Amino acid sequence: MKNSSDGFLNDQKPANFVTCEHWLCCEEYHIVISCLLIIGCQIVGMLVSAVLKYEKIKHCSGGTTFFLLALVNLLTSQTFYPRQLMVSCLVCIWALRLAVYLMIRAYSVEASHKISVAFAVDADPRQPPNTVLHRVVFWMVQIVWISVVSLPVILIDCQPFHPMPQGSSKSGPLTDTDIGGLTLWIVGFLCEFFADLQKYKFKQDSNNDDRFCTKDLWTWSRHPNYFGEIIQWWGIFTIYTETIREPWMWIGIISPLFITCLLLFLQVPALEQHSDVRFASIEEYQDYKHSTSPIIPMPPELYVGIPDFLKKLLLFELPFYDHIPDDAKPKEPQKTLPRSSRRDMDMPF
């Protein structure tokens, strides 16, 4: 007799068939756990920050939440397919590095020169707000950030049963798309790791207090760490696409789009304005900004030869990144020889 709930005969359901009720239950189960974990971690962080006056917890709370979220979702899924294991491990590695790095920086860098957590919401990083409203807004923004960016990880663990072609294994080997996404992630991770390390070492030298970093990866990009961050999440999304079986599951693309827009349209403009205000009168800084790609690393000699409209269209040299007064810029920038091309390159890899 035909089953009215799924349209299949009871003895003719395929082995890998999952009812809508089963799918919905699994999805809601993981989403509820994820939401409770994200909100709970932020409430604990806010209480510790407010009650114990331990502001440094803001620097590690984001990375710690990502780490716990990936780990708990993997364990509660009760399946350990290669794709799940890989994505969970990648997120855990990224989150652990982020939390450790930001805590080390918080303890070693003077408070007046640091930016709160990975993606600040403070208007002026040198003057963190102390009002209750600003504290609440900070933690609310962090909830949104973690929830949106971690979406592919959550959805992958929502799928303990993936409909696969006849004769294939659900726990089979990774595909070329998985390997491509993993490669993207590795490139992004190395870029962000070494960029942060180089900037950290530069800042630790007291002789560089009034200087801007132009060494190593920072010779090829003004924000190589953000390039690495963006590439990592596009890599994870690439892996996630292998689990897409329904049109609605493309909602996972919100994750890399969100992190890309957050950095390109919020974080980078704030840092560019801060640097322009500090160093606009320095000729070497003007030359560095003119000859160095804002995001995508490339040799300065190549970047200066690219037409301006292509820089804006393809390389994210957006108009609101420029806060240097026109009268302070070189008169003929197209003929300026980039000093950055003469800097020593001491690449760590």
Side-chain angles (χ1 to χ4, degrees), residues 212 279-289 328 330 336 339:
F212 52 95
F279 307 115
S281 61
I282 302 176
E283 183 181 354
E284 185 178 4
Y285 173 78
Q286 298 175 16
D287 171 68
Y288 170 74
K289 186 161 185 173
T336 302
R339 293 189 184 88

Side-chain angles (χ1 to χ4, degrees), residues 208-254:
N208 295 327
D209 287 345
D210 296 321
R211 300 177 59 191
F212 52 95
C213 184
T214 60
K215 296 179 66 65
D216 306 319
L217 282 173
W218 299 83
T219 302
W220 285 24
S221 170
R222 305 203 297 268
H223 303 281
N225 51 339
Y226 291 159
F227 170 78
E229 180 81 11
I230 292 171
I231 290 298
Q232 284 177 86
W233 287 105
W234 279 105
I236 289 177
F237 172 74
T238 301
I239 299 172
Y240 165 76
T241 59
E242 281 295 287
T243 70
I244 294 177
R245 297 295 181 269
E246 299 291 340
W248 69 265
M249 296 176 68
W250 283 99
I251 192 175
I253 200 173
I254 294 176

Side-chain angles (χ1 to χ4, degrees), residues 200-214:
Y200 177 79
K201 291 171 63 177
F202 179 84
K203 291 292 186 181
Q204 291 307 295
D205 188 347
S206 58
N207 295 325
N208 295 327
D209 287 345
D210 296 321
R211 300 177 59 191
F212 52 95
C213 184
T214 60

Side-chain angles (χ1 to χ4, degrees), residues 107-121:
Y107 275 101
S108 61
V109 180
E110 194 174 330
S112 61
H113 294 100
K114 65 193 177 191
I115 299 177
S116 298
V117 289
F119 309 106
V121 297

Side-chain angles (χ1 to χ4, degrees), residues 47-170:
L47 292 176
V48 171
S49 175
V51 176
L52 301 181
K53 307 298 182 183
Y54 186 68
E55 294 293 333
K56 289 184 176 63
I57 194 172
K58 295 196 299 183
H59 297 264
C60 69
S61 59
T64 302
T65 305
F66 271 104
F67 180 88
L68 293 175
L69 186 64
L71 187 61
V72 169
N73 269 284
L74 176 64
L75 296 177
T76 55
S77 70
Q78 300 182 2
T79 55
F80 302 96
Y81 300 147
R83 186 174 295 111
Q84 286 179 285
L85 288 171
M86 179 171 67
V87 170
S88 297
C89 287
L90 296 183
V91 174
C92 285
I93 292 171
W94 169 84
L96 187 61
R97 187 211 73 88
L98 177 68
V100 171
Y101 167 71
L102 291 178
M103 283 301 289
I104 292 175
R105 192 180 70 172
Y107 275 101
S108 61
V109 180
E110 194 174 330
S112 61
H113 294 100
K114 65 193 177 191
I115 299 177
S116 298
V117 289
F119 309 106
V121 297
D122 303 330
D124 186 354
R126 295 168 297 174
Q127 299 177 0
N130 294 315
T131 64
V132 174
L133 178 60
H134 278 97
R135 291 176 186 273
V136 172
V137 169
F138 171 84
W139 293 105
M140 290 296 292
V141 169
Q142 187 149 275
I143 288 175
V144 174
W145 166 50
I146 297 172
S147 301
V148 174
V149 175
S150 63
L151 194 56
V153 185
I154 297 173
L155 292 178
I156 285 177
D157 287 324
C158 280
Q159 304 173 62
F161 301 98
H162 298 291
M164 303 292 284
Q166 185 70 26
S168 62
S169 172
K170 300 171 188 174

Side-chain angles (χ1 to χ4, degrees), residues 295-325:
I295 302 294
I296 303 174
M298 64 176 59
E301 299 89 343
L302 174 62
Y303 184 74
V304 295
I306 298 176
D308 288 343
F309 80 95
L310 288 181
K311 291 180 180 178
K312 295 176 181 178
L313 182 64
L314 302 177
L315 301 177
F316 308 108
E317 189 66 85
L318 304 178
F320 48 86
Y321 288 178
D322 187 7
H323 301 275
I324 300 178

